[in-house]
Amino acid sequence: MWWLKDVWVIDPSQNLSGSRDVLVKGGQILEISSSLSEEEVLAKAQGESLETVDGKGKFVFPGLIDVHTHLREPGQEDKEDILSGSRAAVRGGFTTILAMANTQPVIDNRALIEFVRLQGERAGYAHVLPIGTVTKGMLGGELVEMADMKAGGAAAFSDDGKNIQNAEVMRLALEYAKLTGLPIISHCEDKDLAGDGQMRRGMASARMGLKGIPASAESVIVARDLLLAEETGGKLHLAHISTTESVDLIRRAKTRGVDVTAEVNPHHLIFCDEEIRLTDTVLKVNPPLGSRGDRESLIEGLRDGTLDMIATDHAPHTLAEKARPFAEAPFGIASLETALSAIWQYLVLPKRLSLERVIEAWSYSPAQRFGLSGGTLKAGAAADMVLFDPDFSEVIDSAQLVSKARNTPFLQKTLQGFPVMVWVEGQLVQRNRTVL
Amino acid sequence: MKWQRKDILGLEDMSVEDIRHILHTAKVMKEILMRPIKKLPTLKGKSVVNLFYEASTRTRTSFEMAAKVLGADTSSIAVAQSSVSKGESLYDTAKTIQAMRADLVILRHPSSGSANFLADILDSGVINAGDGQHEHPTQALLDIFTMEEQLGDLNGKKVVIVGDVLHSRVARSNAWGLQKLGVNVTFVGPPTLVPVEMEGLGVKLTHDLDGALPGADVVMALRLQLERQKSGLFPSLREYSQLYGLTT
């Protein structure tokens, strides 16, 4: 049994933000109360061994749920695998992660869905929930067997990494997925507008002579998918929103009652295109980093609820792949181990976002949208839980990272504010930054 | 002045003093090239590697001859016959060159930023002989040298660069270098090839060649690649030449 004393509890599921004691027993939250006495706690332990944690100055909140990670297994285990990725997750404060389907082979049938789920269980760290593709082979044509894949454990469907270019296929997907109640996750990117662009089109791309991707490459597809969701009544989730225009479109669609949610990635909230240097392939990401104005719109959208969730889009790559000239390096930032800390340091400390909103957007909202357990500390819920120390600072060092990837913009930089204890179903899996 | 730089990667980050120093040296060197016996011991015992990933006639030959005039030993890596064709990355090639202890590497590469990338890896100097659509500093230095020969001090002069500015490393390097010397630079071309974000280089943009010509001291016409028509950036050579062709 665990007794977290005098800890600041943030649980958006019960509108709670205050100093409390938390008791965990048998893998579940037993209760959250004010100032329990030792006798009371020992009575509740009923002879079970008790570990007490002094929570003063620290926060406890539900384990984060990341709806967008690339774990690269099967097929690209040189970049990451489900074991290393789920270890990285709990090191970073995530107790549930959704694994994207663009592996090799792509996850487009029930057997592969069950493989990913099973690998997650074998790893035994974060809960790993597979996302299936929308179309067979991720080719943007025929739909996958959505009902069968849901029965095998699929949490959502997405051709992420590629956009479904054919609007009729997207319409059919939104319509058919209603059978499952699961959302279609859309990677909004018009192939022709994006072309072989390397970064956001703007003054920075023009100065460096890098081919630009216009903001419209995302927003025209956002507009299309919102209209299709509205027409079909389908359940739409928009991945990695990065432009002002997209935020405006989503805000308006929500007032019309469209069944849509959207996520934003930490790097789009923190960096912008003018910070990219020609040799910084670590900041090469898709969708590309936007302008300062975009960054402001995204923060505003997250504050007012237009953007429902934060998601990492953890995209691990090998050093050899990133150690190339900009145009030849792959897109993607590995972020499971740094994302929460980066958001704390760059957005919560400067008071751009409240910690309560961050936790809501990174645990409660994903649980609600994807119908997952977790995202709450209500009594009786599984104890997926994070103890966060706002004063803990760490140099992000290659030797400490448990992900296989090193493509993080924070490498060799100091971040402050880290999860120092993480429980999955009441089992301690990370302590003092070490994965157990 | 004492030359402090390890590399020449672009004119954007080069100081006016550095640019003037190079132009002054070039003037002296040009006199030497007019002599019957043109050989200097300046780089004797030094090795220079030409690493060209793109076709080139003038730039490559110029670098090779310049190195030989200065007494260096030159080698060329013919990319098509090298391990690059077996998939060796620029990073690996750089490590190989590093192990061979070359003193200077001249790089031409189709990717913007490749020269900066190489310079970060190598202890030896790197001269950028054109990286993607980013910079071509030595071409711009030569253009500036020629302009100064013809016009004297360039401060306050007006240079018009017409054509496919968006895809041109020569235009970018000239814009940086010329503006540092006090030149007013104007880019001219259709909006698809001279988009508004090019303003970030500090230059004036216009789509009207006839309006830009009066008062211009120098007009540079950039080469137009036919593949740009295929990608829809302009409708035809016919219309392009009507709008942006230089006629007397």
Side-chain angles (χ1 to χ4, degrees):
Chain A
M1 181 159 145
W2 291 93
W3 180 18
L4 281 67
K5 283 175 77 171
D6 302 320
V7 68
W8 195 276
V9 181
I10 296 178
D11 183 10
S13 79
Q14 32 187 337
N15 230 342
L16 172 61
S17 179
S19 182
R20 298 284 192 283
D21 282 12
V22 178
L23 294 179
V24 173
K25 194 182 176 205
Q28 295 178 340
I29 306 291
L30 184 66
E31 68 171 276
I32 296 179
S33 354
S34 301
S35 46
L36 292 159
S37 72
E38 190 153 0
E39 293 74 43
E40 284 175 290
V41 174
L42 282 171
K44 289 172 201 282
Q46 295 168 327
E48 208 178 289
S49 73
L50 177 68
E51 191 158 353
T52 309
V53 176
D54 177 15
K56 265 206 195 73
K58 300 188 178 72
F59 298 95
V60 72
F61 42 77
L64 302 187
I65 298 175
D66 201 274
V67 301
H68 197 146
T69 69
H70 295 273
L71 302 182
R72 307 299 189 201
E73 183 180 351
Q76 294 177 304
E77 291 86 347
D78 53 335
K79 295 174 192 263
E80 191 81 287
D81 58 33
I82 290 172
L83 176 60
S84 64
S86 59
R87 284 169 59 87
V90 296
R91 190 157 185 268
F94 300 91
T95 53
T96 298
I97 51 178
L98 271 57
M100 272 299 172
N102 62 338
T103 48
Q104 291 172 0
V106 299
I107 309 301
D108 64 354
N109 60 58
R110 180 171 177 170
L112 286 163
I113 288 282
E114 293 191 357
F115 168 76
V116 172
R117 193 164 52 81
L118 200 55
Q119 286 293 81
E121 284 168 15
R122 286 186 186 121
Y125 289 95
H127 305 287
V128 177
L129 304 178
I131 295 171
T133 61
V134 177
T135 62
K136 288 178 191 152
M138 236 177 94
L139 297 171
E142 288 174 48
L143 299 182
V144 297
E145 296 173 337
M146 289 186 188
D148 197 33
M149 287 164 72
K150 185 194 177 184
F157 301 99
S158 180
D159 279 6
D160 182 72
K162 270 196 210 166
N163 178 63
I164 295 171
Q165 296 291 315
N166 185 321
E168 170 64 359
V169 173
M170 186 62 183
R171 194 190 66 78
L172 289 168
L174 284 162
E175 208 156 50
Y176 190 83
K178 287 198 275 183
L179 271 180
T180 65
L182 300 178
I184 300 286
I185 303 176
S186 177
H187 165 114
C188 297
E189 179 186 18
D190 183 277
K191 196 170 62 135
D192 298 306
L193 285 171
D196 54 355
Q198 303 299 320
M199 64 179 288
R200 171 63 75 73
R201 181 172 182 158
M203 282 197 186
S205 70
R207 183 169 50 77
M208 292 189 277
L210 288 172
K211 191 149 192 297
I213 301 170
S216 57
E218 172 180 290
S219 48
V220 298
I221 301 293
V222 168
R224 180 197 77 171
D225 288 353
L226 289 169
L227 291 169
L228 293 172
E230 186 166 21
E231 192 175 78
T232 56
K235 196 168 178 178
L236 176 66
H237 176 75
L238 300 170
H240 44 53
I241 289 304
S242 70
T243 77
T244 297
E245 296 76 14
S246 300
V247 174
D248 289 345
L249 287 162
I250 297 163
R251 190 176 285 125
R252 273 184 280 160
K254 283 190 165 181
T255 63
R256 298 197 304 275
V258 178
D259 187 3
V260 61
T261 49
E263 78 194 29
V264 60
N265 303 150
H267 42 266
H268 291 121
L269 294 167
I270 293 170
F271 301 109
C272 56
D273 65 344
E274 60 196 68
E275 292 170 84
I276 299 175
R277 298 286 166 270
L278 264 172
T279 46
D280 278 350
T281 56
V282 78
L283 290 179
K284 180 175 173 178
V285 65
N286 191 23
L289 301 177
S291 65
R292 279 168 188 271
D294 289 312
R295 184 171 60 183
E296 285 308 304
S297 303
L298 296 172
I299 295 171
E300 187 48 42
L302 186 58
R303 286 162 66 117
D304 72 14
T306 302
L307 303 176
D308 305 82
M309 309 171 201
I310 310 173
T312 60
D313 195 2
H314 175 73
H317 292 294
T318 63
L319 271 180
E321 291 169 304
K322 279 289 194 180
R324 290 178 189 165
F326 202 91
E328 296 167 25
F331 292 97
I333 294 174
S335 47
L336 278 173
E337 288 174 76
T338 51
L340 174 60
S341 186
I343 289 287
W344 169 262
Q345 182 163 324
Y346 285 84
L347 292 156
V348 179
L349 278 184
K351 302 206 183 306
R352 302 302 313 277
L353 282 173
S354 69
L355 186 57
E356 289 80 3
R357 175 65 188 134
V358 170
I359 302 312
E360 179 184 45
W362 229 342
S363 69
Y364 182 65
S365 302
Q368 293 295 303
R369 181 58 167 174
F370 291 84
L372 312 172
S373 58
T376 178
L377 297 179
K378 280 185 184 154
D384 291 350
M385 195 169 76
V386 171
L387 184 73
F388 182 86
D389 182 350
D391 299 321
F392 193 101
S393 91
E394 183 176 292
V395 179
I396 304 304
D397 180 67
S398 194
Q400 309 296 323
L401 294 169
V402 298
S403 164
K404 289 186 184 179
R406 300 291 178 269
N407 54 309
T408 158
F410 300 109
L411 203 60
Q412 297 315 319
K413 300 206 169 92
T414 303
L415 287 176
Q416 191 194 319
F418 280 95
V420 290
M421 290 177 92
V422 177
W423 294 262
V424 174
E425 292 182 4
Q427 176 103 24
L428 191 67
V429 289
Q430 190 253 79
R431 181 168 220 161
N432 291 329
R433 313 288 305 124
T434 302
V435 178
L436 303 172
Chain B
M1 73 173 266
K2 195 165 156 41
W3 187 254
Q4 303 279 7
R5 294 178 162 271
K6 176 171 96 71
D7 314 294
I8 296 178
L9 303 175
L11 297 193
E12 182 182 1
D13 64 350
M14 197 177 272
S15 68
V16 185
E17 293 70 35
D18 286 345
I19 292 173
R20 290 205 191 283
H21 183 71
I22 292 174
L23 293 173
H24 176 74
T25 312
K27 208 167 170 181
V28 179
M29 280 304 301
K30 189 174 176 183
E31 284 162 25
I32 290 165
L33 285 178
M34 297 302 153
R35 293 179 191 166
I37 295 172
K38 34 192 185 258
K39 190 87 176 172
L40 294 174
T42 320
L43 295 183
K44 196 161 182 228
K46 302 283 182 189
S47 56
V48 175
V49 174
N50 271 313
L51 182 56
F52 276 59
Y53 286 79
E54 282 184 338
S56 162
T57 314
R58 286 164 303 166
T59 307
R60 183 175 178 149
T61 314
S62 301
F63 270 108
E64 181 132 10
M65 287 184 67
K68 284 183 169 148
V69 166
L70 291 169
D73 298 311
T74 64
S75 346
S76 286
I77 298 177
V79 167
Q81 287 126 50
S82 73
S83 293
V84 174
S85 61
K86 301 182 210 159
E88 183 174 292
S89 69
L90 182 59
Y91 182 83
D92 292 335
T93 305
K95 287 290 183 190
T96 306
I97 293 171
Q98 172 83 335
M100 291 171 177
R101 307 189 62 88
D103 295 294
L104 186 64
V105 178
I106 320 295
L107 177 74
R108 168 167 291 188
H109 196 280
S111 292
S112 299
S114 52
N116 305 64
F117 173 82
L118 195 68
D120 282 354
I121 301 169
L122 293 180
D123 294 331
S124 68
V126 173
I127 295 181
N128 181 8
D131 64 322
Q133 296 161 2
H134 176 226
E135 286 235 35
H136 193 341
T138 59
Q139 176 66 53
L141 287 165
L142 173 62
D143 293 338
I144 292 167
F145 181 80
T146 306
M147 290 181 215
E148 276 199 340
E149 271 193 329
Q150 299 295 320
L151 301 172
D153 185 8
L154 295 180
N155 190 28
K157 295 281 192 284
K158 183 181 170 189
V159 174
V160 170
I161 303 179
V162 57
D164 183 6
V165 172
L166 179 61
H167 301 98
S168 175
R169 55 195 176 208
V170 175
R172 281 182 179 78
S173 287
N174 265 293
W176 295 122
L178 286 166
Q179 291 183 108
K180 283 175 203 251
L181 299 175
V183 176
N184 298 307
V185 178
T186 304
F187 286 167
V188 187
T192 45
L193 299 177
V194 183
V196 64
E197 62 263 24
M198 299 293 296
E199 258 174 8
L201 278 80
V203 301
K204 212 180 128 198
L205 307 182
T206 173
H207 311 305
D208 172 21
L209 180 60
D210 290 336
L213 288 179
D217 298 285
V218 177
V219 181
M220 287 179 67
L222 299 171
R223 179 168 52 194
L224 187 70
Q225 291 182 22
L226 282 178
E227 68 187 58
R228 309 287 176 223
Q229 180 182 333
K230 282 191 217 123
S231 30
L233 289 160
F234 65 94
S236 70
L237 268 185
R238 179 176 168 274
E239 176 152 306
Y240 182 85
S241 70
Q242 279 171 358
L243 292 169
Y244 302 107
L246 286 176
T247 49
T248 45

